[in-house]
Amino acid sequence: MSIGKSESRIQTICLMLLCTIGVAGALYWLQGIIVPFILAIFVSLILTPVVNFQVRKLRFPRILAILGTLLLCFFIMLILGGIVSASVAQLANNANVYQNRVEILFNKAITELPLDKLGIEDPADLDIASIIPISTTRTVLVKLTGSIISILSQGLIVMMFVIFLLLGSTTPTKPKEGVVGEIDRQVKQYLVVKVLLSGVTGFAVFAILHFLGVDYAISFGAFAFFLNFIPNIGSLIATIIPLPVVLLMPDPSVGKILLALLLPGLVQFGVGNLLEPRLMGSSLGLHPVTVLLSLMFWGTLWGIIGMLLAVPMTSIMKICLDRLELTHPIAALLAGRLELSEETKAAPEKQGA
């Protein structure tokens, strides 16, 4: 009897693995359709509290509150997208200026470093223009501009989905129960808190860099806002991104370079390690190793957007797996709890008897 149960369990696990591989393949090949729709679901979860506040506190008609919220969201998206696109285009146009600054810094380093001890007899052999050609730099920046425009066009599709999701229910609904209710509460709390803290982080980074006179400070603030949704590594990337522009400023001082690194880093550390745990707590119940693995998995499937959605998507998976007896140990493993099965717990009791 025990052999039959073990064989049945092995078959079930194999079927689950095959199903997981099939679902992952479908998510990858259909990402052009699935990703905008999932983004729209998350955006609608973020905007729902705003709509409910206008209805309950300001006594606005629900349809008017939805339309006003959508217009405000669309307006903010256009402003941020326009600022980032203009900054990247300006970087592409000023590629020659930055190329000259790179050459000046490179030549200054050649004159001050002991290159003869490294086996370099003639410093003139080192040509920075051949290492970083202007045409290559401009091409990279132009491609970056095209990528941002592509993201904006996808954002328009997402907003269309959001409109239909919010307008699909013009009357307040009762609180959801069961698995759907738990997913709705946990993901909504995570997204709302994350948006607020990311906004604080982005504004603080913009204010610091603008005060230090760093070019494109508002774009770096926008990048800090978006990258704050990527746990662990997003804050590190947002801190390092402004460094090349700071180094290529006219006559940058050591103090300004250090402040441009340390102050945004302190903001990222304070928000991520002090404010966020207090406001969010352990609502998602994911182990830090699970978060890192989820970043790798969803990033492989959907790229940067997958990394942005890794935590809420993994949290939804954990909630669903936790409701089934067969997959409950997997959910416990995602939460960092190594729970024993019922048969393992009962074995010592049988031996004692």
Side-chain angles (χ1 to χ4, degrees):
M1 185 68 179
S2 59
I3 296 177
K5 286 184 178 180
S6 62
E7 290 180 352
S8 176
R9 178 167 295 182
I10 291 173
Q11 291 177 358
T12 304
I13 293 174
C14 292
L15 289 174
M16 288 180 59
L17 290 175
L18 291 175
C19 181
T20 302
I21 295 173
V23 171
L27 290 175
Y28 177 78
W29 290 108
L30 298 176
Q31 58 181 306
I33 301 173
I34 296 175
V35 171
F37 182 68
I38 292 179
L39 281 173
I41 292 175
F42 287 143
V43 171
S44 64
L45 289 176
I46 297 172
L47 297 181
T48 298
V50 180
V51 173
N52 292 337
F53 174 80
Q54 297 179 63
V55 173
R56 296 172 183 173
K57 302 297 182 180
L58 303 180
R59 303 297 181 183
F60 286 175
R62 189 169 185 83
I63 184 67
L64 181 61
I66 291 174
L67 293 177
T69 303
L70 289 173
L71 287 176
L72 178 62
C73 182
F74 186 74
F75 182 69
I76 293 174
M77 186 185 70
L78 282 180
I79 291 177
L80 289 177
I83 290 172
V84 174
S85 298
S87 298
V88 175
Q90 190 176 357
L91 276 170
N93 294 331
N94 294 336
N96 294 337
V97 177
Y98 285 104
Q99 184 74 27
N100 294 332
R101 293 181 186 176
V102 170
E103 293 179 1
I104 293 173
L105 290 176
F106 186 76
N107 294 329
K108 185 178 180 180
I110 288 177
T111 57
E112 294 183 357
L113 293 175
L115 298 179
D116 54 340
K117 296 181 179 180
L118 299 176
I120 301 176
E121 300 295 339
D122 188 7
D125 295 337
L126 299 175
D127 186 10
I128 187 62
S130 62
I131 300 174
I132 310 176
I134 297 175
S135 58
T136 303
T137 305
R138 185 181 294 109
T139 301
V140 171
L141 292 174
V142 169
K143 287 183 177 179
L144 181 58
T145 306
S147 300
I148 291 176
I149 294 175
S150 176
I151 293 175
L152 288 177
S153 63
Q154 193 176 32
L156 295 176
I157 299 175
V158 171
M159 290 304 299
M160 291 180 62
F161 278 123
V162 172
I163 291 173
F164 287 107
L165 286 173
L166 290 179
L167 291 178
S169 177
T170 56
T171 57
T173 57
K174 296 181 180 179
K176 300 180 178 65
E177 299 179 355
V179 177
V180 177
E182 186 176 355
I183 292 174
D184 182 74
R185 288 190 299 272
Q186 291 194 11
V187 175
K188 185 180 295 183
Q189 179 186 0
Y190 171 82
L191 291 175
V192 171
V193 173
K194 201 69 175 177
V195 167
L196 293 176
L197 293 181
S198 298
V200 171
T201 303
F203 179 79
V205 170
F206 157 72
I208 291 170
L209 296 180
H210 180 72
F211 176 77
L212 295 175
V214 178
D215 295 336
Y216 318 113
I218 192 168
S219 295
F220 293 131
F223 285 136
F225 171 80
F226 289 111
L227 289 172
N228 195 57
F229 285 88
I230 302 177
N232 303 320
I233 63 174
S235 58
L236 178 62
I237 297 174
T239 304
I240 296 176
I241 278 180
L243 183 59
V245 175
V246 175
L247 291 174
L248 296 178
M249 291 175 61
D251 300 327
S253 63
V254 177
K256 182 177 291 187
I257 294 174
L258 292 177
L259 288 176
L261 277 175
L262 292 177
L263 293 181
L266 289 175
V267 170
Q268 298 279 358
F269 178 82
V271 172
N273 295 276
L274 299 178
L275 272 179
E276 188 169 316
R278 287 180 174 271
L279 295 177
M280 198 173 298
S282 57
S283 58
L284 296 180
L286 296 176
H287 194 272
V289 176
T290 303
V291 174
L292 290 176
L293 292 175
S294 68
L295 288 176
M296 297 170 60
F297 176 76
W298 293 106
T300 302
L301 284 182
W302 293 342
I304 186 66
I305 296 180
M307 298 179 73
L308 293 173
L309 301 177
V311 173
M313 292 293 292
T314 307
S315 175
I316 292 173
M317 289 174 54
K318 185 185 78 70
I319 293 172
C320 295
L321 293 173
D322 194 39
R323 293 305 179 102
L324 299 176
E325 182 180 357
L326 183 64
T327 58
H328 176 74
I330 301 177
L333 186 62
L334 293 177
R337 302 190 308 269
L338 300 178
E339 297 180 349
L340 298 175
S341 65
E342 294 298 329
E343 296 179 0
T344 307
K345 292 178 181 179
E349 297 178 359
K350 292 181 179 179
Q351 291 177 359

